[in-house]
Amino acid sequence: MDAAGQESFREFVAGRSSALLKTAVLLSGGDRHAAEDLLQNALIKVAGRWQRIDEPEAYVRRILYRQQVSRWRLKWRRRELTVAEPPESGAADGAAGVELRLVMRGALARLTARQRTVLVLRYFEDLPEGEVARILGCSVGTVRSTTHRSLARLRELAPELATLGPAAAEHAPSRDFSPVEVRP
């Protein structure tokens, strides 16, 4: 890679790494260390192809999704790690948004990796079912059924999401653990 390519890659990483890390954290179920590894591996792959990539962010996101799919397809069992994180700082009127993010983060961490990946792609990344199916290498019907089962499991794991409702969603920052509609 030439000097201009290195500089543009550095600028991309500096400008977009926090947004990409948020996606990686969601895909990894809230495990920040695993998310950092996921993102670092994706950026290493991108660095080697940097000058041939037309849409770098889309390319990095696709690598993140595919790496996560590879992780949950592995045969070995991954041990569960439960970590209590202090709530994010915020104003008193943002307490509902913080509560929503904490509840959502905990519920997402308890889903299977496949369920979590489908929900992140559908609701956080706002991708259509066909695109999710293409990324995950499955049929649209599989995406639909997995989404349905994942939302049902999310409702089961976090029934309090229904009580937080739209008022909490107003205080939640955009693209930061977007609320999933939960019907009682």
Side-chain angles (χ1 to χ4, degrees):
M1 182 181 326
D2 63 1
Q6 288 178 353
E7 184 59 31
S8 66
F9 181 71
R10 281 190 196 109
E11 289 173 7
F12 170 77
V13 171
R16 299 305 303 153
S17 62
S18 64
L20 293 168
L21 183 59
K22 285 181 182 179
T23 299
V25 167
L26 287 171
L27 288 170
S28 65
D31 184 348
R32 186 166 176 94
H33 296 292
E36 289 170 350
D37 289 344
L38 190 67
L39 180 58
Q40 182 178 3
N41 290 336
L43 290 174
I44 288 169
K45 289 181 179 182
V46 168
R49 299 176 183 92
W50 181 251
Q51 293 180 296
R52 295 177 294 208
I53 299 172
D54 294 329
E55 296 180 39
E57 185 163 352
Y59 193 81
V60 171
R61 288 181 186 276
R62 186 171 297 119
I63 291 172
L64 288 173
Y65 307 146
R66 289 184 177 165
Q67 283 182 315
Q68 184 61 26
V69 167
S70 294
R71 285 183 178 186
W72 53 257
R73 284 185 176 161
L74 291 175
K75 298 286 184 197
W76 58 274
R77 290 183 50 146
R78 197 180 93 202
R79 65 184 170 108
E80 294 278 330
L81 178 64
T82 305
V83 179
E85 294 182 12
E88 296 175 20
S89 63
D93 60 325
V98 171
E99 181 181 354
L100 175 65
R101 285 191 301 275
L102 290 174
V103 169
M104 183 62 75
R105 180 179 290 160
L108 283 172
R110 293 174 58 198
L111 293 176
T112 67
R114 181 182 187 123
Q115 290 172 329
R116 188 172 46 248
T117 301
V118 169
L119 290 181
V120 167
L121 291 173
R122 285 287 293 131
Y123 297 105
F124 181 76
E125 292 294 325
D126 198 27
L127 295 177
E129 292 169 337
E131 181 70 11
V132 173
R134 189 183 64 73
I135 289 170
L136 299 180
C138 62
S139 70
V140 173
T142 300
V143 170
R144 287 179 183 161
S145 64
T146 303
T147 301
H148 176 75
R149 281 190 231 104
S150 302
L151 289 174
R153 179 77 174 134
L154 197 60
R155 288 183 196 103
E156 178 184 310
L157 291 172
E160 61 269 34
L161 289 176
T163 62
L164 292 174
E170 291 173 10
H171 299 290
S174 63
R175 294 187 57 87
D176 188 18
F177 301 103
S178 301
V180 176
E181 181 181 343
V182 179
R183 296 182 188 125

